[in-house]
Amino acid sequence: MERMTQRIEAQGGTISTSELNGKAEYERLRRAAQKGEVVKLRHGVYAEPTAMLGTMIDVERIVPGGVVCLYNAWMYYQLCTTVPPTFCIAIDAKRRVRMPETLPITLYYWKAENLTFGIVRQEILDFTVRITDLERSVCDAVKYRNKIGLDICAEVIRSYVRRKDRNLSRLMDYAKRLRLEKVMNNYLEVAIE
């Protein structure tokens, strides 16, 4: 029997429940989502996780100059096991972008000065993408800790502290720029102990 992930890959990486062949296939899709083999993008639409990376990169075409951040950056750097609920894209606070309703994108409006540091270009699946760097991604977890949940914030920090390629001086520089220095110190003290 064909696995649900193979069926979704054959569909181009996403599938809607209206494209399924009956209740049995719907149940296979539901079980695959529960196991984490597929990701629910929104009501009735599911994706194979690696296809989401490709779709995330296509978002760059929809939001030129946007910066991939938060959940997608955490997933890219393997800081968090939570699947991105939507594609997180940061843009200038004064910029207005009309988004297609069919794409699960959440825009984050950042001050212009916050878009000038901690952003790198990465080559991912043959696309060049602007994404927050490792340390900036950790700072964003602390900054948005009340919206994302303290458990996700703590997971990001614990994963970061375990990395050999971490740069604590850069992390603290970014935290200072974002006015998170004291909070970041508190989290690091707990994580490093």
Side-chain angles (χ1 to χ4, degrees):
M1 176 184 273
E2 179 184 42
R3 290 183 49 221
M4 186 50 69
T5 52
Q6 293 169 326
R7 168 90 156 81
I8 295 172
E9 285 172 5
Q11 292 274 131
T14 61
I15 194 167
S16 71
T17 52
S18 63
E19 297 170 313
L20 298 174
N21 298 322
K23 189 171 182 164
E25 197 168 56
Y26 174 78
E27 285 302 315
R28 283 182 39 223
L29 177 65
R30 193 180 62 72
R31 282 192 303 276
Q34 286 176 337
K35 292 178 189 173
E37 295 171 359
V38 300
V39 178
K40 182 176 181 179
L41 297 178
R42 63 178 188 281
H43 182 72
V45 180
Y46 296 80
E48 196 273 324
T50 58
M52 283 184 59
L53 291 173
T55 306
M56 176 185 77
I57 292 162
D58 291 341
V59 170
E60 175 68 15
R61 292 183 187 163
I62 297 164
V63 187
V67 178
V68 175
C69 62
L70 297 171
Y71 287 95
N72 302 98
W74 302 329
M75 185 179 202
Y76 175 74
Y77 294 115
Q78 299 175 346
L79 294 172
C80 183
T81 56
T82 303
V83 174
T86 63
F87 301 106
C88 305
I89 308 294
I91 62 172
D92 188 293
K94 295 180 181 174
R95 184 173 167 200
R96 295 293 166 243
V97 176
R98 180 176 279 234
M99 297 303 304
E101 293 178 20
T102 56
L103 293 176
I105 296 173
T106 301
L107 293 176
Y108 290 85
Y109 296 94
W110 291 356
K111 293 178 184 176
E113 63 265 18
N114 290 343
L115 288 169
T116 61
F117 66 93
I119 296 168
V120 294
R121 291 193 179 277
Q122 292 288 349
E123 191 76 24
I124 305 172
L125 300 176
D126 298 326
F127 292 95
T128 301
V129 182
R130 294 179 71 215
I131 187 169
T132 53
D133 70 12
L134 181 62
E135 283 72 24
R136 177 61 188 271
S137 299
V138 174
C139 286
D140 290 340
V142 173
K143 181 177 180 179
Y144 289 95
R145 66 192 178 280
N146 293 327
K147 290 184 180 182
I148 64 170
L150 296 177
D151 53 336
I152 293 174
C153 179
E155 180 185 10
V156 168
I157 291 171
R158 278 193 309 272
S159 298
Y160 174 75
V161 166
R162 280 182 259 167
R163 293 177 69 115
K164 293 189 185 333
D165 62 341
R166 69 179 188 252
N167 184 330
L168 292 174
S169 61
R170 183 183 304 144
L171 179 73
M172 293 313 295
D173 175 51
Y174 292 169
K176 187 175 184 178
R177 291 183 189 199
L178 293 167
R179 298 185 186 112
L180 299 168
E181 194 172 16
K182 186 176 180 181
V183 178
M184 183 64 75
N185 271 327
N186 292 341
Y187 274 103
L188 287 176
E189 283 176 16
V190 171
I192 291 175
E193 288 180 356

